Amino acid sequence: MSRTTLDLWVGFFVALGFAALVFLAVKVGSYSDVSGGPTYAVEAAFDNIGGLKARAPVKSAGVVVGRVGGIRFDSHSYRAIVRLDLDGRYPFPADTSASILTSGLLGEQYIGLDPGAETENLKNGDTLQITQSAVVLEKLIGQFLFNKAAETPASPQ
């Protein structure tokens, strides 16, 4: 094999590896829109959002129906306000509830929507009234250990 042919093959594989890394970065970073079509924004207030990040998925019945558009802190209520950009193809009832959930035990956090029974649908700019904050693993373990310590009977003297 000549030096030129070898250089060509090495260059081809380097370019292929770079393209694979770019593809992986785009997939992991979730830079793609939900549908590319129209969306509507609703807000939800949470006491604790845990590790939720902007661009995290919003799912209902396991299907991605939107993305977290932004997160801000309300200094009056001391709560996190999360803007959800929902796909226009998926209308949700006005009494829909939102929960912060985790994929697996230590996976990424996302918003889960549970539709209600209201006949009127959410509109752009509405606020979800029923929310459930993230479960913080450290708090859960601390409460468990504290409860176990409280259950331990005192030894007689």
Side-chain angles (χ1 to χ4, degrees):
M1 214 188 242
S2 71
R3 174 88 176 154
T4 309
T5 309
L6 184 64
D7 288 345
L8 185 66
W9 279 107
V10 169
F12 173 72
F13 283 113
V14 167
L16 190 65
F18 183 72
L21 285 174
V22 169
F23 175 76
L24 211 67
V26 168
K27 283 307 229 183
V28 169
S30 301
Y31 288 117
S32 61
D33 280 340
V34 176
S35 69
T39 61
Y40 60 100
V42 297
E43 289 189 338
F46 294 95
D47 293 326
N48 188 343
I49 61 167
L52 187 72
K53 305 223 180 327
R55 306 282 307 145
V58 177
K59 297 180 181 182
S60 183
V63 177
V64 177
V65 296
R67 294 267 176 211
V68 172
I71 301 169
R72 64 183 172 81
F73 182 72
D74 182 15
S75 59
H76 297 293
S77 66
Y78 300 105
R79 298 179 83 195
I81 308 299
V82 179
R83 189 183 83 236
L84 310 175
D85 295 330
L86 301 176
D87 192 327
R89 298 178 296 174
Y90 306 117
F92 284 93
D95 60 344
T96 296
S97 65
S99 305
I100 299 178
L101 304 169
T102 305
S103 296
L105 185 60
L106 299 173
E108 73 168 346
Q109 289 191 317
Y110 65 94
I111 302 277
L113 296 180
D114 292 319
E118 185 77 33
T119 55
E120 186 177 325
N121 288 332
L122 288 169
K123 297 181 294 298
N124 193 36
D126 283 352
T127 300
L128 297 177
Q129 300 301 318
I130 306 168
T131 61
Q132 181 179 353
S133 294
V135 175
V136 180
L137 193 58
E138 291 85 7
K139 272 188 178 179
L140 202 59
I141 292 170
Q143 287 175 346
F144 175 75
L145 293 175
F146 180 74
N147 288 341
K148 281 296 182 190
E151 288 176 8
T152 307
S155 59
Q157 301 198 2

